[in-house]
């Protein structure tokens, strides 16, 4: 029941919940994905902005978490790129 109510709160009904994590620290990324798994999300990890953008080509995430400080990029820049590319593709972005 908890998963159904979480889906309803997120505006998703009968859809697989997908979590994309952008973080250059493997331990942090794994912790976020593990927490997501416990509530029914399928998680994918990207360690670089370009990797996240490639994941978006093949996944429609429910939630994206962004590390604001990643080598070679900036989470805020990635956030702006995501919003500009297709603001309807993502329900929630957590930075």
């Amino acid at each position: 029941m908890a998963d159904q109510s979480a889906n309803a709160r997120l505006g998703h009904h009968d859809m697989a919940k997908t979590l994309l994590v952008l973080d250059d620290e493997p331990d942090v990324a794994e912790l976020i994905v593990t927490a997501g798994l416990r509530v029914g999300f399928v998680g994918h990890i990207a360690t670089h902005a370009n990797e996240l953008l490639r994941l978006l080509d093949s996944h429609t995430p429910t939630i994206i978490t962004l590390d604001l400080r990643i080598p070679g990029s900036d989470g805020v820049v990635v956030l702006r790129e995501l919003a500009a590319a297709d603001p309807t593709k993502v329900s929630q972005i957590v930075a």
Side-chain angles (χ1 to χ4, degrees), residues 27-79:
D27 291 341
V28 173
E30 287 293 331
L31 180 66
I32 294 168
V33 168
T34 299
L37 287 171
R38 290 183 180 170
V39 293
F41 282 87
V42 174
H44 302 279
I45 297 171
T47 57
H48 301 284
N50 289 338
E51 191 177 355
L52 177 73
L53 297 175
R54 281 193 302 272
L55 283 171
L56 284 168
D57 288 338
S58 56
H59 300 285
T60 303
T62 307
I63 297 175
I64 297 174
T65 66
L66 300 172
D67 182 350
L68 294 179
R69 295 182 184 173
I70 54 175
S73 190
D74 178 323
V76 175
V77 171
V78 173
L79 180 60

